């Protein structure tokens, strides 16, 4: 699977967290995610209360892994994010793919998770945007007042252009109000997107900042080299 870490910065806290997928239990040698019997994944949180010396694991949720095995799945089972709020509670975000009987990704569900007991139990909120399309990359942030920021990159269909979106809610349980963060595409039509550098964060004035990459021509003026290079962009709410 894939994990991301977070540390609790409350003064005196010794808590560390990991939020992980598990490749639907496949070992990636004899069997692979998406193979028969390995189509339902599990989200786990790993919790350390002693600066990483010892750990406990807790189940968070299940997710859909009914997609073809192999490298093409890597972009469809995307990566979870986790962060710790000022109050010590934990927030996590996961993009759950929707697929049909032929293992074709047909949509996306964005789930926001919140734990107030150090990752032992979790509440889930569906923060899927309207007309979500096929989401690939996501990120979550929480400000000092508990406001939640969510960013994502998506295209309507496999043969559509990619755009960046972001939104803010008043807190867990409240709706996220999304808008297009950039009117220009970040990648052309197709199922490829430079999204390895993508993040949202609140600044010290409470604005939501979004950083992302955009496909550009490796050779200026030569569209056959589009997406062989990328530029980094930054936008924020006003």
């Amino acid at each position: 699977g894939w994990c991301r870490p977070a540390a609790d910065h409350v003064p005196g806290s010794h808590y560390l967290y990991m939020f992980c997928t598990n490749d639907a239990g496949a070992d990636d040698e004899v069997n692979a995610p998406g193979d028969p019997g390995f189509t339902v994944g599990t989200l786990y949180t790993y919790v350390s209360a002693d600066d990483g010396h010892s750990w406990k694991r807790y189940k968070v949720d299940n997710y859909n892994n009914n997609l073809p095995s192999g490298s093409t799945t890597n972009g469809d089972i995307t990566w979870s994010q986790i962060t710790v709020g000022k109050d010590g509670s934990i927030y996590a975000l996961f993009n759950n793919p929707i697929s049909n009987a032929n293992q074709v990704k047909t949509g996306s569900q964005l789930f926001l998770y919140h734990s107030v007991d150090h990752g032992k139990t979790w509440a889930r909120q569906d923060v899927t945007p309207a007309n979500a399309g096929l989401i690939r990359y996501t990120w979550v942030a929480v400000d000092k007042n508990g406001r939640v920021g969510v960013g994502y990159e998506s295209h309507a269909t496999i043969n559509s252009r990619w755009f960046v979106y972001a939104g803010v809610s008043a807190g867990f349980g409240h709706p996220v109000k999304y808008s297009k963060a950039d009117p220009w595409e970040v990648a052309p039509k197709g199922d490829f997107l430079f999204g390895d550098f993508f993040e949202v964060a609140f600044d010290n004035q409470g604005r939501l900042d979004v950083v992302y990459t955009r496909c550009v021509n490796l050779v200026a003026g030569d569209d056959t080299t589009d997406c062989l290079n990328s530029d980094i962009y930054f936008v924020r709410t006003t």
Side-chain angles (χ1 to χ4, degrees):
W2 182 276
C3 300
R4 278 206 169 98
D8 187 350
H9 294 283
V10 172
S13 175
H14 299 277
Y15 274 95
L16 300 173
Y17 303 99
M18 300 287 288
F19 197 86
C20 305
T21 59
N22 80 328
D23 283 354
D27 58 19
D28 296 303
E29 294 181 2
V30 177
N31 42 64
D35 289 348
F38 300 93
T39 59
V40 179
T42 303
L43 295 174
Y44 288 110
T45 184
Y46 293 81
V47 180
S48 174
D50 54 8
D51 295 320
H53 293 285
S54 63
W55 295 82
K56 293 182 179 180
R57 186 184 76 174
Y58 303 99
K59 179 180 176 180
V60 179
D61 203 357
N62 290 115
Y63 66 91
N64 177 37
N65 212 136
N66 189 28
L67 290 161
S69 61
S71 60
T72 56
T73 302
N74 293 338
D76 290 318
I77 305 294
T78 52
W79 306 277
S80 58
Q81 297 83 47
I82 183 172
T83 189
V84 183
K86 185 179 179 180
D87 62 355
S89 66
I90 320 166
Y91 299 80
L93 184 72
F94 184 73
N95 175 34
N96 185 51
I98 301 171
S99 60
N100 61 24
N102 296 320
Q103 294 190 312
V104 174
K105 184 178 178 181
T106 60
S108 301
Q109 295 171 302
L110 274 187
F111 290 136
L112 178 66
Y113 298 92
H114 187 218
S115 175
V116 296
D117 58 4
H118 300 293
K120 295 178 182 179
T121 61
W122 294 78
R124 187 181 80 177
Q125 179 188 0
D126 188 340
V127 293
T128 307
N131 303 314
L134 304 177
I135 295 172
R136 177 68 51 93
Y137 297 101
T138 60
W139 204 270
V140 65
V142 179
D143 76 358
K144 61 183 179 180
N145 298 314
R147 294 163 64 230
V148 177
V150 176
Y152 67 94
E153 296 181 302
S154 180
H155 57 168
T157 68
I158 290 177
N159 295 315
S160 298
R161 296 180 295 164
W162 291 88
F163 291 94
V164 173
Y165 302 84
V168 177
S169 81
F172 183 82
H174 295 271
V176 181
K177 298 179 180 179
Y178 295 103
S179 61
K180 189 177 288 185
D182 188 336
W184 298 95
E185 67 180 34
V186 292
K189 295 179 180 179
D191 203 31
F192 177 78
L193 168 68
F194 274 123
D196 287 342
F197 191 75
F198 179 68
E199 188 173 352
V200 303
F202 287 100
D203 62 23
N204 58 8
Q205 297 186 41
R207 298 171 297 197
L208 185 65
D209 303 327
V210 186
V211 179
Y212 55 95
T213 51
R214 178 189 290 168
C215 284
V216 296
N217 293 349
L218 181 61
V219 179
D222 183 356
D223 287 344
T224 66
T225 66
D226 195 13
C227 284
L228 297 181
N229 196 11
S230 60
D231 287 337
I232 299 173
Y233 281 81
F234 166 80
V235 296
R236 68 184 177 200
T237 57
T238 56

